[in-house]
Amino acid sequence: MTRIARAVLREVPLQLKEYFEISSGGTQSRRVLLLMLEADGVAGWSECVAGETPGYSYETTETAWHVLTRWLLPQVVGSEFEDGRHLYPAPWLRGHPMARAAIEMAGWDLEAKRRDVPLRELLGGAAREVPVGVSIGLQKSDADLLARVDAYMAEGYRKIKLKIKPGRDVEMLRTVRDRFPDAPVMADANSAYSLSRDLPRLREMDDLGLMMIEQPLHHEDLLDHAALQGRIDTPVCLDESIRSPGDARLALHLRAGRIVNIKPGRVGGLRSSLAIHDACRTAGWPVWCGGMLESGVGRAHNVALATLPGFTIPGDISNSSRYWEEDIVDPEFEMVDGMMPVPDGPGIGVEPRVDRIEALTTRMEVFEA
Ligand code: OSB
Ligand code: MG
């Protein structure tokens, strides 16, 4: 048994190189929350993926800071544990999976470092490199979009995800399809459509040869996603709808799609991610690892998760340089031929640049046992 001796939660603002717009709003500046948990002189790191506004999930930077500092961290610091993979403080606390995931994922990094193995290995993943895609935000014009698709294809990305919303959908997608007839293109609507109003539009998208349509309908409506999947051939992929292994089991049972985007931050951590992966694999649904515009710390966890065998579709785990002028880990993430090499050092396998992180920190809370 050992004990969590110290926790440091920091807010580190990072500016995206490019404004990133989805159907529910846009992001230029990320308020990244970084957590470090320390036990026996070993430090485990994680990133909380909550956004600034409640436009993707109800959680925000502020709610995550509150839940972590008021409820979760006081419980976890000083607590004894046998295995860092099982940090689940305040089990009575409902919801807030992004806040909870920060603790859980730092625990996994800590445990992997204690055992001196890569996080990939502790998770049970075998791949040494994982296929990579890119997610392109809504653009002002089709010309801007085509230029970006062209550039990302040239860089070697193996999946091109295009954000859509009503008014920027079928015609825009058709323009991209006409210009790049064989490109691996998919669309992500972030819940912007409704089945009763938009079925004809969604049916038009069905003829564009898309790899999948991600989260077209309401974030809490699996029944409508099931009805839609029954009416179109393009696979429906669920993102916002899946917040736990229970949600995934229900989606599989209802056939509310055919693919799941797994984001460990969204589902409360890596343990839940593994459970969702296993359930999908048993049912024959492929999965892929999504992203939340993470810094290198969160990206490292995502890359490790994507080494599991069910992750057969390229993930939203693009190069550090696609997001940031300068990342906060060393080395930065950089793909080779559309494949991201998986770090093979202990734990997340990349080093948080503590000097730079400290210099950028705007808010910090330290917990000591
Ligand atoms: O829906 O997958 C999404 C970013 C923020 C919020 C939601 C989503 C996204 C992305 C970005 O698509 C993926 C990435 O990190 O590159
Ligand atoms: Mg999505």
Side-chain angles (χ1 to χ4, degrees), residues 29-82:
S29 160
R30 290 279 294 111
R31 292 169 64 190
V32 173
L33 297 188
L34 291 180
L35 177 63
M36 190 210 57
L37 295 180
E38 222 175 84
D40 287 342
V42 179
W45 286 82
S46 69
E47 171 172 349
C48 179
V49 300
E52 163 107 47
T53 59
Y56 170 82
S57 132
Y58 63 82
E59 290 188 88
T60 65
T61 315
E62 287 298 327
T63 69
W65 186 275
H66 167 68
V67 168
L68 280 161
T69 56
R70 173 70 178 84
W71 305 108
L72 297 177
L73 287 169
Q75 290 285 306
V76 91
V77 174
S79 69
E80 304 266 338
F81 68 96
E82 239 166 291

Coordinates of all heavy atoms in Angstrom, one line a residue, residues 29-82:
S29 N -8.9 30.0 -27.3 CA -8.0 29.9 -26.2 C -8.5 28.7 -25.3 O -9.6 28.7 -24.9 CB -8.0 31.2 -25.4 OG -7.5 31.0 -24.1
R30 N -7.6 27.8 -25.0 CA -8.0 26.6 -24.1 C -7.5 27.0 -22.7 O -6.3 27.3 -22.5 CB -7.3 25.4 -24.6 CG -7.8 24.8 -25.9 CD -9.1 24.0 -25.7 NE -8.9 22.8 -25.0 CZ -9.4 22.6 -23.8 NH1 -10.1 23.5 -23.1 NH2 -9.2 21.4 -23.2
R31 N -8.4 26.8 -21.7 CA -8.0 26.9 -20.3 C -7.7 25.5 -19.9 O -8.5 24.8 -19.3 CB -9.1 27.5 -19.5 CG -9.3 29.0 -19.9 CD -10.5 29.6 -19.2 NE -10.5 29.5 -17.7 CZ -11.5 29.8 -17.0 NH1 -12.7 30.1 -17.5 NH2 -11.4 29.8 -15.7
V32 N -6.5 25.0 -20.1 CA -6.1 23.6 -19.8 C -5.9 23.4 -18.3 O -5.2 24.2 -17.7 CB -4.8 23.3 -20.6 CG1 -4.3 21.9 -20.2 CG2 -5.0 23.4 -22.1
L33 N -6.6 22.4 -17.8 CA -6.3 22.1 -16.4 C -5.4 20.9 -16.3 O -5.7 19.8 -16.9 CB -7.6 21.7 -15.7 CG -8.7 22.8 -15.5 CD1 -9.8 22.3 -14.6 CD2 -8.1 24.1 -15.0
L34 N -4.2 21.1 -15.7 CA -3.3 20.0 -15.5 C -3.2 19.5 -14.1 O -3.2 20.3 -13.2 CB -1.9 20.5 -15.9 CG -1.6 20.8 -17.4 CD1 -0.2 21.3 -17.5 CD2 -1.9 19.6 -18.3
L35 N -3.2 18.2 -13.9 CA -3.2 17.6 -12.6 C -1.9 16.8 -12.4 O -1.6 16.0 -13.4 CB -4.4 16.8 -12.3 CG -4.4 16.0 -11.0 CD1 -4.5 17.0 -9.8 CD2 -5.6 15.1 -10.9
M36 N -1.2 16.9 -11.3 CA -0.1 16.1 -11.0 C -0.4 15.4 -9.6 O -0.7 16.1 -8.7 CB 1.2 16.9 -10.9 CG 2.4 16.0 -10.8 SD 3.7 16.7 -9.9 CE 3.0 17.1 -8.3
L37 N -0.3 14.1 -9.6 CA -0.5 13.4 -8.3 C 0.9 12.7 -8.0 O 1.5 12.2 -8.9 CB -1.5 12.3 -8.4 CG -3.0 12.7 -8.7 CD1 -3.9 11.4 -8.8 CD2 -3.5 13.6 -7.6
E38 N 1.3 12.8 -6.7 CA 2.6 12.3 -6.4 C 2.5 11.2 -5.3 O 1.7 11.4 -4.3 CB 3.4 13.5 -5.8 CG 4.8 13.5 -6.2 CD 5.5 14.8 -5.7 OE1 5.9 14.8 -4.6 OE2 5.5 15.8 -6.5
A39 N 3.2 10.1 -5.5 CA 3.2 9.1 -4.5 C 4.6 8.4 -4.5 O 5.1 8.1 -5.6 CB 2.1 8.0 -4.7
D40 N 5.2 8.2 -3.4 CA 6.6 7.6 -3.3 C 7.5 8.3 -4.3 O 8.4 7.7 -4.9 CB 6.5 6.1 -3.8 CG 5.9 5.3 -2.7 OD1 5.8 5.7 -1.5 OD2 5.4 4.2 -3.0
G41 N 7.4 9.6 -4.4 CA 8.4 10.4 -5.2 C 8.1 10.2 -6.7 O 8.9 10.7 -7.5
V42 N 7.0 9.5 -7.1 CA 6.7 9.4 -8.5 C 5.5 10.3 -8.8 O 4.6 10.4 -8.0 CB 6.3 7.9 -8.8 CG1 5.9 7.8 -10.3 CG2 7.4 7.0 -8.5
A43 N 5.6 11.0 -10.0 CA 4.5 11.9 -10.4 C 3.7 11.4 -11.5 O 4.2 11.0 -12.5 CB 5.1 13.3 -10.7
G44 N 2.4 11.4 -11.3 CA 1.5 11.0 -12.4 C 0.8 12.3 -12.9 O 0.4 13.1 -12.1
W45 N 0.6 12.4 -14.3 CA 0.1 13.6 -14.9 C -1.2 13.3 -15.7 O -1.3 12.2 -16.2 CB 1.1 14.2 -15.8 CG 2.2 14.9 -15.2 CD1 3.4 14.3 -14.7 CD2 2.4 16.3 -14.9 NE1 4.2 15.2 -14.1 CE2 3.6 16.4 -14.3 CE3 1.6 17.4 -15.2 CZ2 4.1 17.7 -13.9 CZ3 2.0 18.6 -14.8 CH2 3.3 18.8 -14.1
S46 N -2.1 14.3 -15.7 CA -3.2 14.2 -16.5 C -3.7 15.6 -16.9 O -3.3 16.6 -16.3 CB -4.4 13.4 -15.8 OG -4.9 14.2 -14.8
E47 N -4.7 15.6 -17.8 CA -5.3 16.8 -18.3 C -6.8 16.7 -18.2 O -7.3 15.7 -18.6 CB -4.8 17.1 -19.7 CG -5.5 18.2 -20.4 CD -4.9 18.6 -21.8 OE1 -3.8 18.0 -22.1 OE2 -5.5 19.3 -22.5
C48 N -7.5 17.7 -17.7 CA -8.9 17.7 -17.7 C -9.4 18.3 -19.0 O -9.0 19.4 -19.3 CB -9.5 18.4 -16.5 SG -11.3 18.5 -16.4
V49 N -10.3 17.6 -19.7 CA -10.7 18.1 -21.0 C -11.9 19.0 -21.0 O -12.3 19.4 -22.1 CB -11.0 16.9 -22.0 CG1 -9.8 16.0 -22.1 CG2 -12.3 16.1 -21.5
A50 N -12.4 19.4 -19.9 CA -13.6 20.3 -19.9 C -13.3 21.6 -20.6 O -12.2 22.1 -20.6 CB -14.0 20.6 -18.4
G51 N -14.2 22.1 -21.4 CA -14.1 23.3 -22.2 C -14.5 24.5 -21.4 O -15.0 24.5 -20.3
E52 N -14.2 25.7 -21.9 CA -14.6 27.0 -21.3 C -16.1 27.2 -21.1 O -16.6 27.7 -20.1 CB -13.9 28.1 -22.1 CG -14.5 29.5 -21.8 CD -13.5 30.3 -21.1 OE1 -12.3 30.3 -21.5 OE2 -13.9 30.9 -20.1
T53 N -16.8 26.7 -22.2 CA -18.3 26.9 -22.2 C -19.0 25.5 -22.1 O -18.4 24.5 -22.5 CB -18.8 27.6 -23.4 OG1 -18.4 26.8 -24.6 CG2 -18.1 29.0 -23.6
P54 N -20.2 25.5 -21.6 CA -20.9 24.2 -21.5 C -21.6 23.9 -22.9 O -22.8 23.5 -22.9 CB -21.9 24.4 -20.4 CG -22.2 25.9 -20.4 CD -20.9 26.6 -20.9
G55 N -20.8 24.0 -24.0 CA -21.4 23.8 -25.3 C -21.2 22.4 -25.9 O -21.7 22.0 -26.9
Y56 N -20.4 21.6 -25.2 CA -20.1 20.2 -25.6 C -20.7 19.3 -24.5 O -21.4 18.3 -24.8 CB -18.6 19.9 -25.8 CG -18.3 18.5 -26.0 CD1 -18.4 17.9 -27.2 CD2 -17.8 17.7 -24.9 CE1 -18.1 16.5 -27.4 CE2 -17.5 16.4 -25.1 CZ -17.7 15.8 -26.3 OH -17.4 14.5 -26.5
S57 N -20.4 19.6 -23.3 CA -21.0 18.9 -22.1 C -21.3 19.9 -21.1 O -20.9 21.1 -21.2 CB -19.9 18.0 -21.6 OG -19.7 18.1 -20.2
Y58 N -22.1 19.6 -20.1 CA -22.4 20.6 -19.0 C -21.1 21.0 -18.2 O -21.1 22.0 -17.6 CB -23.5 20.0 -18.1 CG -23.1 18.8 -17.3 CD1 -22.3 18.9 -16.1 CD2 -23.4 17.5 -17.7 CE1 -21.9 17.8 -15.4 CE2 -23.1 16.4 -17.0 CZ -22.3 16.5 -15.9 OH -21.9 15.4 -15.2
E59 N -20.1 20.1 -18.3 CA -18.9 20.5 -17.5 C -18.1 21.6 -18.2 O -18.1 21.7 -19.4 CB -18.0 19.2 -17.4 CG -18.6 18.2 -16.5 CD -17.6 17.1 -16.2 OE1 -16.8 17.2 -15.3 OE2 -17.6 16.1 -17.0
T60 N -17.5 22.5 -17.4 CA -16.7 23.6 -17.9 C -15.4 23.6 -17.0 O -15.3 22.9 -16.0 CB -17.4 24.9 -17.7 OG1 -17.5 25.2 -16.3 CG2 -18.7 25.0 -18.4
T61 N -14.5 24.4 -17.5 CA -13.2 24.6 -16.7 C -13.6 24.9 -15.2 O -13.0 24.4 -14.3 CB -12.4 25.8 -17.3 OG1 -12.4 25.6 -18.7 CG2 -11.0 25.8 -16.7
E62 N -14.6 25.8 -15.0 CA -15.0 26.2 -13.7 C -15.6 25.1 -12.9 O -15.3 24.9 -11.7 CB -15.9 27.4 -13.7 CG -15.2 28.7 -14.2 CD -14.1 29.2 -13.2 OE1 -14.3 28.9 -12.0 OE2 -13.2 29.8 -13.7
T63 N -16.5 24.3 -13.5 CA -17.2 23.3 -12.7 C -16.1 22.2 -12.4 O -16.2 21.6 -11.3 CB -18.4 22.6 -13.4 OG1 -17.9 21.8 -14.6 CG2 -19.4 23.6 -13.9
A64 N -15.2 21.9 -13.3 CA -14.2 20.9 -13.1 C -13.3 21.3 -11.9 O -12.9 20.6 -11.0 CB -13.4 20.6 -14.3
W65 N -12.9 22.6 -12.0 CA -12.0 23.2 -10.9 C -12.7 23.0 -9.6 O -12.2 22.6 -8.6 CB -11.7 24.6 -11.2 CG -10.7 25.2 -10.2 CD1 -11.0 25.7 -9.0 CD2 -9.3 25.2 -10.4 NE1 -9.8 26.1 -8.4 CE2 -8.8 25.8 -9.2 CE3 -8.4 24.8 -11.4 CZ2 -7.4 25.9 -9.0 CZ3 -7.0 25.0 -11.2 CH2 -6.5 25.5 -10.0
H66 N -14.0 23.4 -9.5 CA -14.8 23.3 -8.3 C -14.9 21.8 -7.8 O -14.6 21.6 -6.6 CB -16.2 23.8 -8.5 CG -17.2 23.5 -7.4 ND1 -17.1 24.1 -6.2 CD2 -18.2 22.7 -7.4 CE1 -18.0 23.6 -5.4 NE2 -18.7 22.7 -6.1
V67 N -15.3 20.9 -8.7 CA -15.5 19.5 -8.2 C -14.2 18.9 -7.8 O -14.1 18.2 -6.8 CB -16.2 18.7 -9.4 CG1 -16.2 17.2 -9.1 CG2 -17.6 19.2 -9.5
L68 N -13.1 19.2 -8.5 CA -11.8 18.7 -8.2 C -11.3 19.2 -6.8 O -10.9 18.5 -6.0 CB -10.8 19.0 -9.3 CG -10.8 18.0 -10.5 CD1 -10.1 18.6 -11.7 CD2 -10.2 16.7 -10.2
T69 N -11.3 20.6 -6.7 CA -10.7 21.1 -5.5 C -11.6 21.0 -4.2 O -11.1 20.8 -3.1 CB -10.4 22.6 -5.7 OG1 -11.7 23.3 -6.0 CG2 -9.4 22.8 -6.7
R70 N -13.0 21.0 -4.4 CA -13.9 20.9 -3.3 C -14.1 19.5 -2.8 O -14.3 19.2 -1.7 CB -15.2 21.6 -3.6 CG -16.3 21.5 -2.6 CD -16.0 22.3 -1.3 NE -17.0 22.2 -0.3 CZ -17.2 21.2 0.5 NH1 -16.4 20.2 0.5 NH2 -18.2 21.3 1.4
W71 N -14.2 18.5 -3.8 CA -14.7 17.2 -3.5 C -13.7 16.1 -3.8 O -13.5 15.2 -2.9 CB -16.0 16.9 -4.2 CG -17.1 17.9 -4.0 CD1 -17.5 18.8 -4.9 CD2 -17.8 18.1 -2.8 NE1 -18.5 19.6 -4.3 CE2 -18.7 19.2 -3.0 CE3 -17.8 17.5 -1.5 CZ2 -19.6 19.6 -2.0 CZ3 -18.7 18.0 -0.6 CH2 -19.5 19.0 -0.8
L72 N -13.1 16.1 -4.9 CA -12.3 14.9 -5.3 C -10.9 14.9 -4.7 O -10.4 13.9 -4.2 CB -12.3 14.8 -6.8 CG -13.6 14.5 -7.5 CD1 -13.5 14.5 -9.0 CD2 -14.3 13.2 -7.0
L73 N -10.2 16.0 -4.9 CA -8.8 16.1 -4.5 C -8.6 15.9 -3.0 O -7.7 15.2 -2.5 CB -8.0 17.3 -5.0 CG -7.8 17.2 -6.5 CD1 -7.3 18.5 -7.1 CD2 -6.8 16.1 -6.8
P74 N -9.5 16.6 -2.2 CA -9.3 16.4 -0.7 C -9.5 14.9 -0.3 O -9.0 14.5 0.7 CB -10.4 17.3 -0.1 CG -10.7 18.3 -1.2 CD -10.5 17.6 -2.5
Q75 N -10.3 14.2 -1.1 CA -10.5 12.8 -0.8 C -9.4 11.9 -1.2 O -9.1 10.9 -0.6 CB -11.8 12.3 -1.5 CG -13.1 12.8 -1.0 CD -13.4 12.2 0.3 OE1 -13.5 10.9 0.4 NE2 -13.7 13.0 1.3
V76 N -8.7 12.3 -2.3 CA -7.7 11.4 -2.8 C -6.3 11.6 -2.2 O -5.6 10.7 -2.0 CB -7.7 11.5 -4.4 CG1 -6.7 12.5 -4.9 CG2 -7.4 10.2 -5.0
V77 N -6.1 12.9 -1.8 CA -4.7 13.1 -1.2 C -4.7 12.6 0.2 O -5.6 12.9 1.0 CB -4.4 14.7 -1.3 CG1 -3.2 15.0 -0.5 CG2 -4.3 15.1 -2.7
G78 N -3.7 11.8 0.5 CA -3.6 11.2 1.8 C -4.2 9.8 1.8 O -4.0 9.0 2.8
S79 N -5.0 9.4 0.8 CA -5.6 8.1 0.7 C -4.6 7.1 0.4 O -3.6 7.3 -0.4 CB -6.8 8.1 -0.2 OG -6.3 8.2 -1.6
E80 N -4.8 5.9 0.9 CA -3.9 4.7 0.6 C -4.5 4.0 -0.6 O -5.7 3.9 -0.8 CB -4.0 3.7 1.8 CG -3.6 4.3 3.1 CD -2.2 4.1 3.4 OE1 -1.6 3.2 2.8 OE2 -1.6 4.9 4.2
F81 N -3.6 3.5 -1.4 CA -4.1 2.7 -2.6 C -3.1 1.6 -2.9 O -1.9 1.7 -2.6 CB -4.3 3.6 -3.8 CG -3.0 4.2 -4.4 CD1 -2.3 3.5 -5.4 CD2 -2.4 5.3 -3.8 CE1 -1.1 4.0 -6.0 CE2 -1.2 5.8 -4.4 CZ -0.6 5.2 -5.4
E82 N -3.6 0.5 -3.5 CA -2.7 -0.6 -3.9 C -2.4 -0.4 -5.3 O -1.3 -0.8 -5.8 CB -3.5 -1.9 -3.6 CG -2.7 -2.7 -2.7 CD -3.4 -3.9 -2.2 OE1 -4.4 -3.7 -1.4 OE2 -3.1 -5.0 -2.6

